[in-house]
Amino acid sequence: MRNKIAKLNLLLWQWLALILFPIGVAVVASYLSAQYFVKDKVKGVGAIYVSNIDTLISHADQISHYALALKDTECKDLYNYMLFQPYFRSALIFDSQRVYCSSKTGDIDVSLGIVSITENLEIPNQFIIGGTPFMPEVPAIVISNWDPISKHGAAVIIEGQYLLDSFVQPNVFPSAVINVALSINGKTIPELPEFKQNEVMTLDSKYHKFSVLLEISPAFFWHFFWIFLAISVPVSITVITGSILFVLYSRVTRHSLVDDIRSGIENQEFFLVYQPIIGTEDGKVQGVEALVRWQHPQMGLVRPDLFIHIAEENQLIVPLTNYIFERALADFANMTVAAGFKIGFNVAPEHFTQDDIEAKFIHLRDSLARIGVKPLIEITERQLLTVDICQRIEGLRQLGILVAIDDFGTGQTTLSLLQTMQLDYLKIDKCFIDTIGHESVTSHVLDTIIELSHKMNYVVVAEGVETQEQADYLTHRQVHFLQGYLFAKPMKLEDLKLWLAAERS
């Protein structure tokens, strides 16, 4: 009994797997997407902090160079200059022994310990201190520069409270970052960051020696994870499940077509159409090529390139070809044709491996001979012609059956094979005929094939002739027969009878 195409008999666990697999893919994809999205947002936040601190340190360098340029008597100018620097706590000028100028108090004479007792101030440096004499509990950043020529240095103190205030995260949900800290040489602002057990991203400055530490918000991650999941689940189910079902559908359909071809042969669903072949010498019809078509009861008319390929792959091409022989015999049983009329049949090389090949072709030859018709076997090139097959073909020629190579130039027939195997006809593929009137590399191949055929005494048939220009070109080069839409399309038996009657009249 014919299988229903596209009927998928899957078990319950298979259906569950079909649904759960794309959901699993969606979960993984959403997790990775949310992770990438969150890290990208955190990098954006961190880039702002890094840029602001870079700007402060660069400004501090400018202040220190201004301070180093002052004379010993111009300490008051440093005071006036720093009045317009809101983010800086103070600026100091010192030598190798003491600090002698402050933007806060003017001239002073204090130890270098007021700046730092651990850092080397006689080299350009930047470091964090826990506080200053006027603000002992509030950390700050010290940017120091040293002039080795004058043996003087300048230290600029950046207000730590400003950084602490800028690090406070907005009270919005979801926020990408929970906590932020600045790190310089192992010390941080704030001194004890309130980091929890969450992932911390580190962004380094490209211009100065500091890093910004950012604690990533888990809530921010999960917020976008669920958004991505809500989007990706239906998309994933649609795409992946649809693709799997399509593949299963195609396989079931393909296997069903194999069964349907068998049933179609038994139920005589296949029928033949015939395309006339015209002689160039007199312009009259000299025969036809029999072409198989399939009227599927559910699918309608099935393309030959689909079912013939499946038949070849599943050892059905031989019974299908035998059916074509019998169908042609029945079609022409009561027809009257001119003497020498030929019917061409496409036969795959696989057919020549059958044990009863001679008996079948003798039956075809004798049955057609009763109505004055000769069979022409057109061997397709989709399979390689082995030595055994070539011997079988030669045996058929000895029985008076004409043999042609079909679609020459597009398959596996080689020149060496043509030199060793005798043939009667050579059919030139349409792809070469289409080059007529167009200057291309392939157009020269057509002339070579025609010339070769004449030298080897083959009768030449050109397929796919569609224009008068092509017909004139081929006739001029003494191609014997022409076949194509210029003369007639493949037609059913009743239409062929009318066409032949019109040709005779």
Side-chain angles (χ1 to χ4, degrees), residues 122 199 395 456:
E122 295 187 3
E199 183 178 358
M456 302 186 74

Side-chain angles (χ1 to χ4, degrees), residues 309-410:
H309 180 67
I310 295 176
E312 289 176 335
E313 286 188 345
N314 294 274
Q315 291 77 49
L316 291 174
I317 193 62
V318 171
L320 180 59
T321 304
N322 291 335
Y323 172 90
I324 293 171
F325 292 157
E326 297 302 322
R327 184 74 264 170
L329 291 175
D331 286 348
F332 276 80
N334 299 316
M335 288 184 62
T336 301
V337 295
F341 193 91
K342 302 174 185 65
I343 301 179
F345 298 95
N346 290 295
V347 179
E350 182 182 352
H351 207 96
F352 298 97
T353 62
Q354 307 300 306
D355 294 333
D356 59 347
I357 181 68
E358 288 84 2
K360 287 181 179 178
F361 280 105
I362 289 174
H363 168 70
L364 177 67
R365 179 199 65 185
D366 295 345
S367 298
L368 289 176
R370 296 188 186 99
I371 55 175
V373 175
K374 292 183 178 181
L376 172 63
I377 304 304
E378 301 180 10
I379 303 173
T380 57
E381 293 190 276
R382 285 183 289 271
Q383 298 178 19
L384 185 64
L385 297 177
T386 64
V387 175
D388 292 340
I389 292 176
C390 291
Q391 292 175 350
R392 286 288 186 93
I393 293 172
E394 179 57 29
L396 295 179
R397 291 186 70 253
Q398 298 299 325
L399 296 174
I401 296 173
L402 301 174
V403 178
I405 287 292
D406 194 19
D407 301 330
F408 180 76
T410 62

Side-chain angles (χ1 to χ4, degrees), residues 424-467:
D424 301 294
Y425 287 74
L426 190 148
K427 300 190 74 172
I428 304 175
D429 187 77
K430 182 181 183 300
C431 67
F432 298 106
I433 308 304
D434 290 340
T435 64
I436 295 175
H438 303 282
E439 187 62 30
S440 65
V441 175
T442 316
S443 62
H444 301 296
V445 176
L446 173 62
D447 293 336
T448 303
I449 294 174
I450 295 173
E451 183 179 354
L452 173 66
S453 301
H454 289 324
K455 288 182 177 180
M456 302 186 74
N457 297 319
Y458 290 148
V459 177
V460 186
V461 183
E463 296 181 296
V465 180
E466 297 181 348
T467 67

Side-chain angles (χ1 to χ4, degrees), residues 31 87 119 138 143 195 202 250 255 295 370 438 444 471 485:
Y31 185 90
Y87 304 126
E119 301 292 339
V138 181
I143 309 299
F195 291 158
T202 300
S250 300
H255 289 302
Q295 186 66 40
R370 296 188 186 99
H438 303 282
H444 301 296
Y485 282 13

Side-chain angles (χ1 to χ4, degrees), residues 271-296:
F271 64 95
L272 298 182
V273 294
Y274 300 93
Q275 187 171 31
I277 299 175
I278 309 300
T280 57
E281 184 174 344
D282 55 9
K284 295 182 179 180
V285 60
Q286 302 296 322
V288 294
E289 180 180 1
L291 302 167
V292 65
R293 298 291 185 264
W294 184 16
Q295 186 66 40
H296 192 282

Side-chain angles (χ1 to χ4, degrees), residues 8-177:
L8 303 177
N9 297 317
L10 299 181
L11 299 175
L12 177 61
W13 72 268
Q14 292 174 319
W15 282 109
L16 289 174
L18 207 60
I19 300 299
L20 295 177
F21 175 70
I23 292 178
V25 172
V27 170
V28 174
S30 299
Y31 185 90
L32 296 176
S33 298
Q35 199 172 52
Y36 174 83
F37 179 81
V38 168
K39 288 186 176 181
D40 185 65
K41 289 297 181 182
V42 172
K43 284 181 181 179
V45 173
I48 296 174
Y49 289 124
V50 170
S51 177
N52 291 341
I53 298 171
D54 274 329
T55 300
L56 284 175
I57 294 177
S58 297
H59 194 181
D61 281 333
Q62 295 175 4
I63 295 173
S64 66
H65 285 96
Y66 170 83
L68 286 174
L70 295 176
K71 299 178 181 178
D72 293 348
T73 59
E74 296 175 335
C75 185
K76 186 177 181 181
D77 292 342
L78 182 61
Y79 168 81
N80 294 330
Y81 182 79
M82 291 300 293
L83 288 176
F84 303 100
Q85 312 297 333
Y87 304 126
F88 299 90
R89 188 176 300 181
S90 63
L92 304 172
I93 305 175
F94 56 88
D95 57 25
S96 59
Q97 302 295 327
R98 62 192 178 90
V99 177
Y100 63 85
C101 177
S102 169
S103 63
K104 289 288 187 181
T105 60
D107 294 324
I108 58 174
D109 187 0
V110 296
S111 167
L112 290 177
I114 194 177
V115 179
S116 175
I117 59 175
T118 59
E119 301 292 339
N120 184 3
L121 299 179
E122 295 187 3
I123 59 172
N125 204 353
Q126 57 192 42
F127 50 90
I128 294 174
I129 58 176
T132 57
F134 294 102
M135 301 182 69
E137 301 298 327
V138 181
I141 304 172
V142 177
I143 309 299
S144 67
N145 277 297
W146 178 260
D147 183 359
I149 298 176
S150 64
K151 303 296 184 180
H152 286 72
V156 180
I157 302 173
I158 300 175
E159 179 55 69
Q161 189 61 48
Y162 164 74
L163 293 178
L164 291 172
D165 292 343
S166 68
F167 288 163
V168 175
Q169 296 303 295
N171 189 20
V172 295
F173 181 85
S175 177
V177 176

